[in-house]
Amino acid sequence: MTPMPIPTSMIDPFGRSVSYLRVSVTDRCDFRCTYCMAEDMTFLPKKDLLSLEELDRLCTVFVEKGVRRLRLTGGEPLVRKNIMHLVRQLSRHLASGALEELTLTTNGSQLYRFADELADCGVRRINVSMDTLDPDKFRAITRWGDLSRVMESIEAAERAGLKIKINAVALKGFNDTEIPSMIEWAHGRGMDMTVIETMPMGEIDADRTDQYLPLSQLRAELERRYTLTDIPFKTGGPARYVEVAETGGRLGFITPMTHNFCESCNRVRLTCTGTLYMCLGQDDAADLRHSLRASEGNELLSNAIDEAIGRKPKGHDFVIDRRTKRPAVSRHMSVTGG
Ligand code: SAM
Ligand code: SF4
């Protein structure tokens, strides 16, 4: 057997190895979560999107350059037409051993249709975003989502053998008092859960300073009820985990606002138009679509990626500005995919 070529790893100027790529396969979504999008969003014209073949080619170059984990996100990844074709194509890198993990983050609205096929393609874990267990509140926060569909999806994913993590954005006055029942529900089903601080990305209809709940405060509240023990568990992402003694489950905290997790950042983000963001919280980006389309070979593209990684910044500086109420980053989370 010919030995697998050892991927050359991408190292940024601060010595961090870039081994994780998140790909937003579409900016569109079938929900309009109030903290993520405005109700009346203008989406990219379809002609600006990379084709699934182009996305596959780009991801493959990243895998050849040392990416070991790949997460599809969006917008809602499962609303992109023929998305399973891309998943199936990418799964060849799992089969070859070049990729350790292929996964996705979804709102769960369509997952019930794809769970079996995802498992068949070698997807082992998925993140399902869900901010409440109350159907009326769910409809309100997503502007029209149907919680029973998401529940159906979770059941389908469980049956398919996918490991599920629930992601909930902590929102003051919306779900802060409900987090304990969500933890007990998730842990009761053997699912991990992660809470996320709201990040000031893109214009939305609401005032973000009203929604922001520092997770240090949430943690202190949870500690009045539960015994939380810090554990070294890592999934390759920025979450810090605790074990909840009373439920025996794991709870992650993603705290971009109160804790700077940039020092261990191993990731870059690609949008559906081929723009590479080296940091979620900064505007600097590289246009890889141009290099992709400029030649049939991958050398130009590979050089453009190296050049971009060489500009990966040390970190972000999110601030929710109480005076101007402007977002720190003008693009929506649905563009870079969270
Ligand atoms: N549509 C999919 C979903 O909801 O899981 C994938 C894309 S969504 C942008 C990825 C994650 O980002 C979700 O967990 C969502 O709750 C989170 N998110 C969106 N806007 C956010 C914001 N302004 N601050 C923090 N998290 C946000
Ligand atoms: Fe859509 Fe996900 Fe944004 Fe909600 S958080 S609007 S589901 S992209």
Coordinates of all heavy atoms in Angstrom, one line a residue, residues 111-152:
L111 N -33.2 18.1 9.6 CA -32.3 17.0 10.0 C -33.0 15.6 9.9 O -32.4 14.6 9.6 CB -31.7 17.3 11.3 CG -30.8 16.2 11.9 CD1 -29.5 16.0 11.1 CD2 -30.4 16.6 13.4
Y112 N -34.3 15.6 10.2 CA -35.0 14.3 10.3 C -34.9 13.6 8.9 O -35.0 12.4 8.8 CB -36.5 14.5 10.7 CG -37.3 15.3 9.8 CD1 -38.1 14.7 8.8 CD2 -37.3 16.7 9.8 CE1 -38.9 15.4 7.9 CE2 -38.0 17.5 8.9 CZ -38.8 16.8 8.0 OH -39.6 17.6 7.1
R113 N -34.8 14.5 7.8 CA -34.7 13.9 6.5 C -33.4 13.3 6.1 O -33.2 12.5 5.2 CB -35.1 15.0 5.4 CG -36.4 15.6 5.6 CD -36.9 16.3 4.3 NE -36.3 17.6 4.2 CZ -35.9 18.0 3.0 NH1 -35.9 17.3 1.9 NH2 -35.3 19.3 3.0
F114 N -32.3 13.8 6.8 CA -31.0 13.5 6.4 C -30.1 12.7 7.4 O -29.0 12.4 7.1 CB -30.2 14.8 6.1 CG -30.8 15.6 5.0 CD1 -31.3 16.9 5.2 CD2 -30.8 15.2 3.7 CE1 -31.9 17.7 4.2 CE2 -31.4 15.9 2.6 CZ -31.9 17.2 2.9
A115 N -30.7 12.5 8.6 CA -29.9 11.9 9.7 C -29.3 10.6 9.2 O -28.1 10.4 9.4 CB -30.8 11.7 10.9
D116 N -30.0 9.7 8.6 CA -29.5 8.4 8.2 C -28.4 8.5 7.2 O -27.3 7.9 7.3 CB -30.6 7.5 7.6 CG -31.6 7.0 8.7 OD1 -31.1 6.9 9.8 OD2 -32.7 6.7 8.3
E117 N -28.6 9.4 6.2 CA -27.6 9.5 5.2 C -26.3 10.2 5.8 O -25.2 9.8 5.4 CB -28.1 10.3 4.1 CG -27.4 10.1 2.8 CD -27.9 10.8 1.6 OE1 -29.1 11.3 1.7 OE2 -27.2 10.9 0.6
L118 N -26.5 11.1 6.7 CA -25.3 11.7 7.3 C -24.5 10.6 8.0 O -23.2 10.6 7.9 CB -25.7 12.8 8.3 CG -26.2 14.1 7.7 CD1 -26.9 15.0 8.8 CD2 -25.0 14.9 7.0
A119 N -25.2 9.8 8.8 CA -24.5 8.7 9.5 C -23.8 7.8 8.5 O -22.6 7.4 8.7 CB -25.4 7.9 10.4
D120 N -24.4 7.5 7.4 CA -23.9 6.6 6.4 C -22.6 7.2 5.8 O -21.7 6.5 5.3 CB -24.9 6.3 5.3 CG -24.5 5.3 4.4 OD1 -24.1 4.2 4.9 OD2 -24.5 5.5 3.2
C121 N -22.5 8.6 5.7 CA -21.4 9.2 5.2 C -20.2 9.3 6.2 O -19.2 9.9 5.9 CB -21.7 10.6 4.7 SG -22.7 10.7 3.2
G122 N -20.4 8.8 7.4 CA -19.3 8.9 8.4 C -19.4 10.0 9.3 O -18.5 10.2 10.1
V123 N -20.5 10.8 9.3 CA -20.7 11.9 10.3 C -21.0 11.2 11.6 O -21.8 10.3 11.6 CB -21.8 12.8 9.8 CG1 -22.1 13.8 10.9 CG2 -21.4 13.6 8.6
R124 N -20.3 11.6 12.7 CA -20.5 10.9 13.9 C -21.2 11.8 15.0 O -21.9 11.3 15.9 CB -19.2 10.4 14.5 CG -18.5 9.4 13.7 CD -19.2 8.0 13.9 NE -18.8 7.0 12.8 CZ -19.6 6.7 11.8 NH1 -20.7 7.3 11.6 NH2 -19.1 5.9 10.9
R125 N -20.9 13.1 14.8 CA -21.5 14.0 15.8 C -22.1 15.2 15.1 O -21.6 15.6 14.1 CB -20.3 14.7 16.7 CG -19.5 13.8 17.4 CD -18.6 14.6 18.4 NE -17.7 15.6 17.8 CZ -17.4 16.7 18.3 NH1 -17.9 17.1 19.5 NH2 -16.6 17.5 17.7
I126 N -23.1 15.8 15.7 CA -23.7 17.0 15.1 C -24.1 18.0 16.2 O -24.4 17.5 17.3 CB -24.9 16.8 14.2 CG1 -25.9 15.8 14.9 CG2 -24.6 16.3 12.8 CD1 -27.2 15.8 14.3
N127 N -24.1 19.2 15.9 CA -24.6 20.2 16.9 C -25.9 20.7 16.4 O -26.1 21.0 15.3 CB -23.7 21.4 16.9 CG -22.3 21.1 17.6 OD1 -22.1 20.0 18.1 ND2 -21.4 22.1 17.5
V128 N -26.9 20.6 17.3 CA -28.2 21.1 17.0 C -28.5 22.4 17.9 O -28.3 22.3 19.1 CB -29.3 20.1 17.3 CG1 -30.7 20.6 17.0 CG2 -29.1 18.8 16.4
S129 N -28.8 23.5 17.2 CA -29.0 24.7 18.0 C -30.5 24.8 18.4 O -31.4 24.6 17.6 CB -28.7 25.9 17.1 OG -27.4 25.8 16.6
M130 N -30.7 25.1 19.7 CA -32.0 25.2 20.2 C -32.0 26.0 21.5 O -31.2 25.7 22.4 CB -32.4 23.7 20.6 CG -33.9 23.6 21.0 SD -34.1 22.0 21.8 CE -34.7 21.1 20.5
D131 N -32.8 27.1 21.5 CA -32.6 28.0 22.6 C -33.7 27.9 23.7 O -33.7 28.6 24.7 CB -32.6 29.4 22.1 CG -31.6 29.6 21.0 OD1 -30.4 29.1 21.2 OD2 -31.8 30.2 19.9
T132 N -34.7 27.1 23.4 CA -35.8 26.9 24.4 C -36.5 25.6 24.1 O -36.5 25.0 23.0 CB -36.8 28.1 24.3 OG1 -37.9 27.8 25.2 CG2 -37.3 28.3 22.9
L133 N -37.2 25.1 25.2 CA -38.0 23.8 25.0 C -39.5 24.1 25.0 O -40.3 23.2 25.0 CB -37.7 22.9 26.2 CG -36.3 22.2 26.3 CD1 -36.1 21.5 27.6 CD2 -36.2 21.2 25.1
D134 N -39.8 25.4 25.0 CA -41.2 25.8 25.0 C -41.6 26.2 23.5 O -41.0 27.1 22.9 CB -41.3 27.1 25.9 CG -42.7 27.7 25.8 OD1 -43.3 27.8 24.8 OD2 -43.2 28.0 26.9
P135 N -42.6 25.5 22.9 CA -42.9 25.6 21.5 C -43.3 27.1 21.2 O -42.9 27.6 20.1 CB -44.1 24.7 21.3 CG -44.1 23.7 22.4 CD -43.4 24.4 23.6
D136 N -43.9 27.8 22.1 CA -44.3 29.2 21.7 C -43.1 30.1 21.7 O -42.9 30.9 20.9 CB -45.4 29.7 22.8 CG -46.7 28.9 22.6 OD1 -47.0 28.5 21.5 OD2 -47.3 28.7 23.7
K137 N -42.2 29.9 22.7 CA -41.0 30.7 22.8 C -40.1 30.4 21.6 O -39.4 31.2 21.0 CB -40.3 30.5 24.1 CG -40.9 31.3 25.3 CD -40.4 30.8 26.6 CE -39.0 31.3 26.9 NZ -38.5 30.9 28.2
F138 N -40.1 29.1 21.2 CA -39.3 28.7 20.1 C -39.8 29.4 18.8 O -39.0 29.9 18.0 CB -39.4 27.1 19.9 CG -38.4 26.6 18.9 CD1 -37.1 26.4 19.2 CD2 -38.9 26.3 17.6 CE1 -36.2 26.0 18.3 CE2 -38.0 25.9 16.6 CZ -36.6 25.7 17.0
R139 N -41.1 29.4 18.7 CA -41.6 30.1 17.5 C -41.2 31.6 17.5 O -40.9 32.2 16.5 CB -43.2 29.9 17.4 CG -43.8 30.5 16.1 CD -45.2 30.0 15.9 NE -45.2 28.6 15.6 CZ -45.8 27.7 16.5 NH1 -46.3 28.1 17.6 NH2 -45.7 26.4 16.2
A140 N -41.3 32.2 18.7 CA -41.0 33.6 18.8 C -39.5 33.9 18.5 O -39.2 34.8 17.7 CB -41.3 34.1 20.2
I141 N -38.6 33.1 19.0 CA -37.1 33.4 18.9 C -36.7 33.1 17.4 O -35.8 33.8 16.9 CB -36.3 32.6 19.9 CG1 -34.9 33.3 20.0 CG2 -36.1 31.1 19.6 CD1 -34.8 34.5 20.9
T142 N -37.3 32.1 16.8 CA -36.9 31.8 15.4 C -37.8 32.5 14.4 O -37.6 32.4 13.2 CB -37.1 30.2 15.2 OG1 -38.4 29.9 15.4 CG2 -36.2 29.4 16.0
R143 N -38.7 33.2 14.9 CA -39.8 34.0 14.1 C -40.8 33.1 13.5 O -41.9 33.6 13.1 CB -39.2 34.9 13.1 CG -38.5 36.1 13.8 CD -38.4 37.3 12.9 NE -37.7 38.5 13.5 CZ -36.4 38.8 13.4 NH1 -35.6 37.9 12.8 NH2 -36.0 39.8 14.0
W144 N -40.6 31.8 13.3 CA -41.7 30.9 12.8 C -41.4 29.4 12.9 O -42.1 28.6 12.4 CB -42.1 31.2 11.3 CG -40.9 31.3 10.4 CD1 -40.1 30.2 10.0 CD2 -40.4 32.5 9.7 NE1 -39.2 30.7 9.1 CE2 -39.3 32.0 8.9 CE3 -40.8 33.8 9.7 CZ2 -38.6 32.9 8.1 CZ3 -40.1 34.7 8.9 CH2 -39.0 34.2 8.2
G145 N -40.3 29.1 13.6 CA -39.8 27.7 13.7 C -40.8 26.8 14.4 O -41.5 27.2 15.3
D146 N -40.8 25.5 14.0 CA -41.7 24.5 14.7 C -40.8 23.5 15.5 O -40.1 22.7 15.0 CB -42.4 23.7 13.5 CG -43.3 22.7 14.1 OD1 -43.4 22.5 15.3 OD2 -44.0 22.0 13.2
L147 N -41.0 23.7 16.8 CA -40.1 22.9 17.7 C -40.4 21.4 17.6 O -39.4 20.6 17.7 CB -40.4 23.3 19.2 CG -39.6 22.6 20.3 CD1 -38.1 23.0 20.1 CD2 -40.1 23.0 21.7
S148 N -41.6 21.0 17.2 CA -41.9 19.5 17.1 C -41.0 18.9 16.0 O -40.6 17.8 16.1 CB -43.4 19.3 17.0 OG -43.8 19.8 15.7
R149 N -40.8 19.7 14.9 CA -39.9 19.2 13.8 C -38.5 19.0 14.3 O -37.8 18.0 14.0 CB -39.9 20.3 12.7 CG -40.9 20.0 11.6 CD -40.4 18.8 10.8 NE -41.6 18.0 10.4 CZ -42.3 18.3 9.3 NH1 -42.1 19.4 8.6 NH2 -43.3 17.5 9.0
V150 N -38.0 19.9 15.2 CA -36.6 19.8 15.7 C -36.6 18.6 16.6 O -35.6 17.8 16.5 CB -36.2 21.1 16.4 CG1 -34.8 21.0 16.9 CG2 -36.3 22.3 15.5
M151 N -37.6 18.4 17.4 CA -37.6 17.2 18.3 C -37.6 15.9 17.4 O -36.9 14.9 17.8 CB -38.9 17.2 19.2 CG -38.8 18.3 20.2 SD -37.4 18.0 21.3 CE -37.7 19.3 22.5
E152 N -38.4 15.9 16.4 CA -38.4 14.8 15.4 C -37.0 14.5 14.9 O -36.6 13.4 14.8 CB -39.4 15.1 14.3 CG -40.0 14.0 13.5 CD -40.8 14.5 12.4 OE1 -41.6 15.4 12.6 OE2 -40.7 14.0 11.3

